[in-house]
Amino acid sequence: KEVVSCSGRQTYHDDMAKILYTEAVISQRVAELGRQIAQDYQGKAPLVLGVLKGSFMFFSDLVRAIEPCPRGLTLDFIRASSYGSGTESTGEVKLKADLKLEKVEGRHVLLVEDIVDTALTITTVSRYLLEECGAASVATATLLDKHERRKLVYRPEYVGFLCPNEFVVGYGLDFNEEYRTIPYIGVLKPECYSHLGIEAPEPDGSGESSD
Ligand code: XMP
Ligand code: MG
């Protein structure tokens, strides 16, 4: 992979136009969500299902914040890929999971997402779990809700923050697979993508993206 040198910008932090959610703000909100989820799922032995890759950091913080942890809580992951051409997603979402149907059947599933945008991904995953796998219920915990960009009506049950309509990176979220490890969430400076000939990054732009 070609590493693009950004003149004058030494670190990823220098690529941020602004920080939307600091580490401290995220951590406090995740703790609140965790407590709420712990209350709602007592006695339900939930299956907490992370949607890869973007949710990995939120997932690991959130599951530790589900306190007191409901007995029977188990974890798994599912991978969702959108296919698109040009700058618009086709709306086709492909799922990859090593979930066995019998593992999901009758379970109360809590999906964990980094961001719900058009809601195509989360709608596809929810339908699959309910209709093909026989989940007893499906709810969604998303750190960010970019509600202005919905193509399908979808209301996640647990939302960290209502997110402005901007392309965000950090805390698991990427641009071209980079920036995922930054502990806060921010918006990139335009010069970080203008060399690619684009005005603004589009989630799930061209080709296959799996995050
Ligand atoms: P949909 O449109 O299916 O989107 O709700 C879900 C996936 O799109 C990605 N996405 C983003 N990724 N910054 C990112 O790094 C963003 O601002 C952004 N908006 C959407 C994300 O992978 C999400 O799961
Ligand atoms: Mg994602």
Side-chain angles (χ1 to χ4, degrees), residues 63-187:
V63 291
R64 282 176 289 178
I66 303 179
E67 257 299 305
C69 183
R71 285 211 168 254
L73 180 150
T74 58
L75 314 176
D76 217 324
F77 298 93
I78 190 164
R79 196 159 173 148
S81 317
S82 305
Y83 288 90
S85 54
T87 55
E88 273 297 310
S89 164
T90 58
E92 215 185 297
V93 177
K94 227 183 123 184
L95 304 179
K96 261 191 233 163
D98 60 2
L99 289 170
K100 295 215 179 81
L101 293 189
E102 66 266 25
K103 270 170 67 177
V104 177
E105 203 170 356
R107 298 289 302 273
H108 293 284
V109 179
L110 178 67
L111 285 169
V112 179
E113 255 287 26
D114 50 352
I115 185 164
V116 174
D117 186 22
T118 63
L120 291 169
T121 306
I122 206 71
T123 303
T124 307
V125 177
S126 304
R127 271 196 199 140
Y128 169 73
L129 294 166
L130 285 167
E131 292 167 16
E132 318 250 332
C133 306
S137 70
V138 177
T140 298
T142 186
L143 183 68
L144 304 177
D145 187 352
K146 218 191 249 183
H147 55 110
E148 285 170 39
R149 295 216 340 143
R150 282 294 195 283
K151 286 186 182 158
L152 298 172
V153 179
Y154 194 92
R155 272 177 178 262
E157 284 75 4
Y158 306 94
V159 173
F161 306 99
L162 287 178
C163 180
N165 186 9
E166 292 190 89
F167 191 82
V168 294
V169 296
Y171 197 69
L173 291 139
D174 72 306
F175 172 57
N176 276 354
E177 290 300 323
E178 296 189 74
Y179 304 101
R180 289 194 197 274
T181 59
I182 288 178
Y184 53 82
I185 293 172
V187 178

Side-chain angles (χ1 to χ4, degrees), residues 13-19 186-190:
H13 305 293
D14 300 325
D15 291 0
M16 297 299 153
K18 63 181 167 191
I19 294 176
V187 178
L188 288 177
K189 288 178 182 163

Side-chain angles (χ1 to χ4, degrees), residues 51-52 54-55 113-115 211:
V51 184
L52 292 173
S55 74
E113 255 287 26
D114 50 352
I115 185 164
D211 50 5

Side-chain angles (χ1 to χ4, degrees), residues 32 68 93 194:
E32 288 168 2
V93 177
S194 54

Side-chain angles (χ1 to χ4, degrees), residues 52-65:
L52 292 173
K53 286 184 248 176
S55 74
F56 81 94
M57 207 177 278
F58 176 47
F59 184 94
S60 75
D61 286 342
L62 183 67
V63 291
R64 282 176 289 178

Side-chain angles (χ1 to χ4, degrees), residues 16-28:
M16 297 299 153
K18 63 181 167 191
I19 294 176
L20 289 180
Y21 310 106
T22 63
E23 225 178 319
V25 162
I26 294 171
S27 151
Q28 201 195 329

